[in-house]
Amino acid sequence: MSEPILGIDLGTTNSEVAVVRDGQPHVFAEDGDPILPSFVGLSEDGRLLVGKAARNQWVLAPERTIKSIKRKMGQDVKIRLGDQEFRPQEISAMILRALRDRASAQLGVPVRKAVITVPAYFNDAQRQATREAGELADLEVVRILNEPTAASLTYDPSQRELQRVLVYDLGGGTFDVSIVQSQEGVIEVLASHGDTALGGDDFDDLLLKHVVDKFKTEHDVDLSGNLASRARVLRAVEAAKRQLSYHPFARIEEEFIAEKNGQALHLNVEISREEYEAMIRPMLDRTMDCVQRALDDSRVVGSAINKVVLVGGSTRTPLISRLLEERLGQPTHQEVNPDLCVAMGAGIQAAMMGGASVGPVLVDITPHSMGIKCLDLLQGFDFPFRFAPILKRNTPLPASQSEIFHTVHDNQDAVEIDVYQGEREDVRQNYQVGKFTISGLSKVAAGNPLVVQLDLTLDGILKVSARERATGLQKQITIENALAKFEREERDVARQRLDRLWNNVERPEADYPADEWSDDAPPSREAPELVAGPREGQRETVQARALLEKAERLVGNLNAEDKEEVDRLMEQLRTALTDRKWNDVTSACNELSDILFYLEEV
Ligand code: AMP
């Protein structure tokens, strides 16, 4: 074996080290964790701590702990640690040594060479300081590599054809976006923009403030005043934030968080993804401005981007993909773990410098989107075949995601959960993988929320569950071999169906000719219906639909004057729905609801 060259991502909050083995990058883990927190500290008895142990003492002993040293690289400053002072490159060298030792121990040979990544915006002094840090760690730095370049290498190591990749990197404390161009092995960062003080930590702070304010209103106790309580809440909100990337709600619970008049107080707050997204939206809008500036500076239009790659833990926030997809008109890629992507890319670069050929990183992903059938209103008319994807195509496995849906009718006591795979908006053009009915739902008004969750394992076992939020009533099914099933039957069943549909393209506003479309029994209008999709305006849509149904029932029995007024309001409501103007939908609903209430009374 030729001498190994390490690929190192020396990050602001976390660092990782990788090499290529059998053509694939491999990140070295310790105790099962591939991430080494970029923290250095001294223990109470003066021992040097690097990584998790140093991070753990940060809250309690900040005077003995150093974090985010990367921010100081290239500056002529000294940092005190215990009774000594160090230059930034010396502190970074301690992190590099820890990574080198981790790799050497697992490779069973000493390592002397490394590729180290830096942000594209690092200047010469910062790059030079990074080199020095490597040398202080007894590593020959064979290349300083730009982080976005490393990320793009994981998706296409050959870089032969002209490729323009937009790399959006949002970590814990920093954000940057770069346009990377490659052709025939020459890779160039065309432009890079960012904000070195924006990241997931800021999202945590927003959530923390929300929770602390709520607690203050409820109990008149300020949790931020107590260091230990604050640290506990911060840890809890960070965990809730991660949950919200996969589920529509998260609960923040901490027992005995405070005391008042001798009584213990507990923290118990629920937050929805919608509320959380509204909180962070202004910050994400700032990142989108940077995306535009990077495109402008590189003179590349959005449509000329071949791939949008997500890097950094915070990019698991689904709103980020949504905003980027809206702006750039193409799906984002995060199949390669966004925490490890840069280290893997550095490992790939290192292997190529050592003469090895490397293929794109292999990852297990869902090859097709998976979701359920639901009712949608298109241009004011019911469309009961809307596909609502829950696990999106290309999601790394194992995966778990849930979304919220609502019942359509008042007192609806059952809902059919009809599970499909595919990419089409009309479920009849996708492949059905299973279905079940959840019944015994509470007798309440339309809009009763249900959480539908999909869990897919690496072996292709799909678990689908539906839970009534108000009561916790739950039903689930397990579908073995969900992935293989689709592959096998795709050609015969789904494609035959597609061929038929091809010659008979549907107009959603037409009444649906059920039997023509499917071999499966078509859902009758009386069958238990789910629910509008997990999208913007769904609550308004459900309300509008119920009102339109009621108005249609009443309108035949009205005198000419009242009929004219109801018709006018129905028309107004349908127009607002068609235009997806949710405020107008709400005001039309209010007007219609008032007049219907009055007409029912008389
Ligand atoms: P990095 O600096 O790239 O290691 O990213 C760390 C940041 O990613 C922290 O702010 C984490 O809270 C955040 N993060 C990690 N996992 C998730 C997730 N599933 N959803 C949202 N943020 C996450």
Side-chain angles (χ1 to χ4, degrees):
M1 188 175 101
S2 60
E3 183 180 359
I5 307 177
L6 303 179
I8 294 179
D9 172 7
L10 185 60
T12 309
T13 26
N14 291 314
S15 299
E16 300 86 22
V17 55
V19 292
V20 167
R21 276 182 189 161
D22 304 323
Q24 285 291 303
H26 167 82
V27 182
F28 293 100
E30 213 162 85
D31 300 328
D33 193 351
I35 286 170
L36 180 83
S38 305
F39 284 68
V40 174
L42 285 181
S43 68
E44 246 179 325
D45 53 5
R47 275 178 308 117
L48 180 69
L49 306 173
V50 180
K52 216 182 266 177
R55 186 187 59 192
N56 290 347
Q57 72 163 26
W58 156 250
V59 177
L60 301 171
E63 73 289 353
R64 279 189 276 117
T65 318
I66 297 173
K67 68 180 251 199
S68 305
I69 192 63
K70 188 170 174 176
R71 291 188 192 282
K72 298 218 160 57
M73 291 294 271
Q75 293 177 21
D76 189 14
V77 290
K78 292 270 173 64
I79 297 109
R80 175 164 285 282
L81 184 61
D83 55 8
Q84 293 187 62
E85 288 194 329
F86 296 91
R87 292 184 305 144
Q89 43 273 60
E90 292 177 279
I91 301 294
S92 288
M94 296 175 194
I95 299 168
L96 290 173
R97 268 175 196 254
L99 293 168
R100 182 204 63 188
D101 290 352
R102 176 186 282 203
S104 292
Q106 293 184 39
L107 287 169
V109 291
V111 189
R112 287 187 303 253
K113 292 182 179 176
V115 169
I116 304 178
T117 59
V118 294
Y121 59 77
F122 255 27
N123 61 26
D124 279 349
Q126 291 167 305
R127 285 165 196 262
Q128 188 49 36
T130 307
R131 270 188 191 281
E132 269 180 50
E135 279 150 23
L136 289 169
D138 287 331
L139 286 167
E140 180 192 339
V141 182
V142 293
R143 172 84 51 99
I144 292 283
L145 182 68
N146 287 319
E147 288 164 8
T149 304
S152 77
L153 279 172
T154 61
Y155 283 90
D156 178 17
S158 77
Q159 310 268 357
R160 247 172 248 125
E161 281 155 30
L162 176 68
Q163 287 274 342
R164 293 193 187 97
V165 179
L166 185 144
V167 181
Y168 178 105
D169 182 347
L170 186 63
T174 58
F175 163 69
D176 51 271
V177 52
S178 308
I179 315 293
V180 180
Q181 176 169 290
S182 64
Q183 191 167 26
E184 308 202 338
V186 179
I187 315 180
E188 204 184 343
V189 177
L190 296 181
S192 198
H193 265 286
D195 186 334
T196 49
L198 175 68
D201 298 349
D202 299 297
F203 304 167
D204 300 346
D205 287 343
L206 287 174
L207 272 175
L208 178 78
K209 183 170 178 328
H210 172 81
V211 170
V212 166
D213 287 352
K214 228 171 171 169
F215 197 83
K216 179 119 203 312
T217 315
E218 236 170 79
H219 302 287
D220 199 23
V221 173
D222 184 4
L223 291 176
S224 58
N226 178 312
L227 203 63
S229 309
R230 189 178 181 282
R232 276 176 67 194
V233 182
L234 192 59
R235 203 166 338 119
V237 296
E238 202 262 346
K241 174 186 79 173
R242 288 172 186 247
Q243 275 250 317
L244 289 170
S245 292
Y246 309 109
H247 305 289
F249 297 94
R251 189 162 281 286
I252 299 155
E253 276 176 302
E254 286 288 315
E255 292 200 323
F256 305 105
I257 193 76
E259 209 185 80
K260 190 178 172 187
N261 305 331
Q263 286 255 315
L265 297 177
H266 310 298
L267 175 68
N268 192 344
V269 177
E270 189 183 69
I271 179 146
S272 72
R273 186 188 280 166
E274 259 177 329
E275 283 175 276
Y276 171 63
E277 287 182 345
M279 271 180 222
I280 62 169
R281 180 70 197 246
M283 290 189 179
L284 294 187
D285 285 342
R286 266 166 55 200
T287 69
M288 293 301 146
D289 293 342
C290 291
V291 167
Q292 194 54 51
R293 284 172 60 190
L295 286 169
D296 292 346
D297 284 3
S298 59
R299 296 178 195 280
V300 173
V301 288
S303 57
I305 295 291
N306 301 94
K307 201 166 232 158
V308 181
V309 168
L310 300 183
V311 178
S314 299
T315 58
R316 294 196 178 89
T317 310
L319 180 58
I320 292 176
S321 291
R322 272 209 325 270
L323 293 175
L324 282 168
E325 285 171 17
E326 265 168 38
R327 185 157 301 215
L328 299 165
Q330 57 179 302
T332 55
H333 290 269
Q334 51 184 323
E335 298 91 290
V336 179
N337 185 330
D339 296 319
L340 309 181
C341 191
V342 169
M344 286 184 180
I348 290 172
Q349 176 68 51
M352 292 194 308
M353 292 181 81
S357 73
V358 189
V361 178
L362 297 176
V363 280
D364 284 304
I365 47 163
T366 53
H368 308 283
S369 300
M370 301 198 184
I372 62 167
K373 179 175 77 180
C374 71
L375 177 81
D376 195 9
L377 269 187
L378 284 182
Q379 301 170 1
F381 291 86
D382 283 3
F383 179 63
F385 300 109
R386 163 72 65 199
F387 179 52
I390 296 174
L391 272 182
K392 304 257 168 59
R393 167 192 197 165
N394 288 348
T395 305
L397 295 177
S400 171
Q401 288 268 2
S402 62
E403 286 291 357
I404 189 125
F405 294 84
H406 294 94
T407 55
V408 178
H409 304 295
D410 289 347
N411 300 321
Q412 184 177 331
D413 68 351
V415 155
E416 190 179 79
I417 306 291
D418 214 344
V419 190
Y420 284 82
Q421 289 189 16
E423 310 308 325
R424 304 297 189 97
E425 287 198 338
D426 182 333
V427 286
R428 292 166 300 178
Q429 298 176 37
N430 293 329
Y431 171 64
Q432 191 190 39
V433 285
K435 66 175 169 185
F436 64 100
T437 300
I438 172 166
S439 47
L441 300 176
S442 312
K443 297 234 181 288
V444 292
N448 182 12
L450 297 176
V451 178
V452 178
Q453 176 159 337
L454 266 57
D455 290 279
L456 183 61
T457 68
L458 269 168
D459 311 325
I461 299 169
L462 177 68
K463 203 171 83 188
V464 186
S465 71
R467 182 168 48 86
E468 184 179 35
R469 248 176 76 69
T471 60
L473 174 78
Q474 178 162 329
K475 183 139 185 219
Q476 68 178 55
I477 52 165
T478 300
I479 299 155
E480 305 283 336
N481 240 340
L483 298 174
K485 220 174 179 173
F486 184 82
E487 299 303 340
R488 200 174 52 243
E489 298 192 24
E490 183 181 32
R491 277 184 306 276
D492 7 305
V493 183
R495 214 163 272 166
Q496 276 170 23
R497 239 185 250 183
L498 263 174
D499 288 345
R500 263 191 292 148
L501 285 160
W502 195 249
N503 302 319
N504 205 357
V505 176
E506 184 196 2
R507 299 277 161 269
E509 56 270 35
D511 207 1
Y512 54 97
D515 291 300
E516 261 183 54
W517 294 101
S518 166
D519 298 334
D520 307 329
S524 83
R525 280 167 191 272
E526 281 72 47
E529 271 172 343
L530 197 67
V531 301
R535 303 199 317 274
E536 196 192 4
Q538 68 168 347
R539 253 194 308 263
E540 291 84 349
T541 306
V542 167
Q543 191 196 2
R545 188 187 175 284
L547 274 172
L548 285 169
E549 230 175 43
K550 199 185 224 179
E552 272 159 13
R553 270 200 316 272
L554 281 175
V555 83
N557 303 327
L558 300 177
N559 66 40
E561 197 185 331
D562 289 343
K563 180 174 182 314
E564 192 180 324
E565 181 60 5
V566 171
D567 278 342
R568 184 186 68 77
L569 285 172
M570 284 168 68
E571 186 53 36
Q572 193 178 322
L573 182 52
R574 287 202 174 107
T575 309
L577 281 167
T578 308
D579 297 345
R580 298 191 169 270
K581 291 191 172 153
W582 307 118
N583 288 338
D584 293 356
V585 170
T586 305
S587 49
C589 276
N590 289 343
E591 268 191 72
L592 187 59
S593 161
D594 284 349
I595 191 165
L596 292 181
F597 180 74
Y598 163 76
L599 291 171
E600 277 179 329
E601 291 283 293
V602 291

